[in-house]
Amino acid sequence: MDCRPVPSREEILAALEKKQGSVATAKLQAATVAICGLGGLGSNIAISLARSGIGKLILIDFDTVDITNLHRQQYKASQVGLPKAEALLANLKEVAPYVRYEVHNEKVTAENAVRLLEDADIVCEAFDRADAKAMLVDVVLEQFPQKTLVAASGMAGFDSGNAICTRKVTGRFYLCGDGKSDVDQNIGLTAPRVMLCAAHQALTVIRLILGEKDV
């Protein structure tokens, strides 16, 4: 068993400030981000934001880890069968132990979204289904005039990663992906392409927190 001590909160913050700057790190520490869906997009978004020093992450998913998730999602083989929210929390605590985490092992619906998302500054949409994506867009843009939504559309297949981009749809709505590929087209999912889209979402979140409004 590995009993090596974990670096202190102060040591980790100092390391973040050395790499990201004290001003940026302070802004990230003050932010709360909700991630709706913890699959290929959401689990990778969460890892990137946690490593970047986000102050609080709200993690929401009702599903369990499946063996087919392992090739592109941030889970371990030993976690197959566990609730994704709980498994991801355990993994996040290993890389970013001082982030504040709020975990909800439930499905986001039009009825509970306000309760689940009310404390977030920015909301990340990371669902698989088009109807769930549309529901979240409607809820955030209609019921949270002060919040920004960062969503995704199109990261399936083996097409060039250069096709994945970020665009500003409205002042509070950003969309990442290639805008056309769909897993229902039976073109597959690959870890690099899914992670590229997730990285676009995470970077957009960070840029918004730092005051950058353009993509």
Side-chain angles (χ1 to χ4, degrees), residues 170-193:
T170 70
R172 297 189 297 113
F173 181 24
Y174 294 77
L175 190 61
C176 306
D178 63 28
K180 60 180 182 179
S181 65
D182 193 317
V183 68
D184 290 337
Q185 297 170 329
N186 294 318
I187 55 177
L189 286 168
T190 63
R193 215 159 187 271

Side-chain angles (χ1 to χ4, degrees), residues 129-161:
R129 295 172 55 92
D131 57 345
K133 291 174 179 286
M135 176 275 297
L136 192 64
V137 170
D138 289 342
V139 169
V140 174
L141 297 186
E142 292 177 7
Q143 300 194 45
F144 291 117
Q146 77 283 15
K147 299 187 192 302
T148 301
L149 176 67
V150 180
S153 177
M155 73 290 305
F158 296 85
D159 197 7
S160 171

Side-chain angles (χ1 to χ4, degrees), residues 40-41 44 72 74 155 190-200:
L41 291 172
N44 282 292
R72 70 192 184 283
Q74 291 292 335
M155 73 290 305
T190 63
R193 215 159 187 271
V194 172
M195 292 172 73
L196 272 171
C197 189
H200 269 263

Side-chain angles (χ1 to χ4, degrees), residues 60-113:
I60 313 167
D61 200 306
F62 69 97
D63 204 359
T64 57
V65 180
D66 185 82
I67 192 170
T68 60
N69 301 151
L70 298 179
H71 93 293
R72 70 192 184 283
Q73 302 182 16
Q74 291 292 335
Y75 300 104
K76 305 172 185 178
S78 61
Q79 293 175 319
V80 169
L82 296 178
K84 284 186 176 180
E86 296 175 15
L88 185 60
L89 176 64
N91 296 344
L92 287 166
K93 284 184 174 180
E94 291 189 19
V95 298
Y98 304 110
V99 173
R100 288 175 291 126
Y101 299 103
E102 179 181 321
V103 174
H104 298 276
N105 186 17
E106 59 184 299
K107 184 176 182 178
V108 181
T109 66
E111 291 70 36
N112 66 16

Side-chain angles (χ1 to χ4, degrees), residues 1-14:
M1 182 177 180
D2 192 345
C3 296
R4 286 176 291 183
V6 174
S8 69
R9 183 178 186 276
E10 291 71 23
E11 289 173 322
I12 289 180
L13 280 177

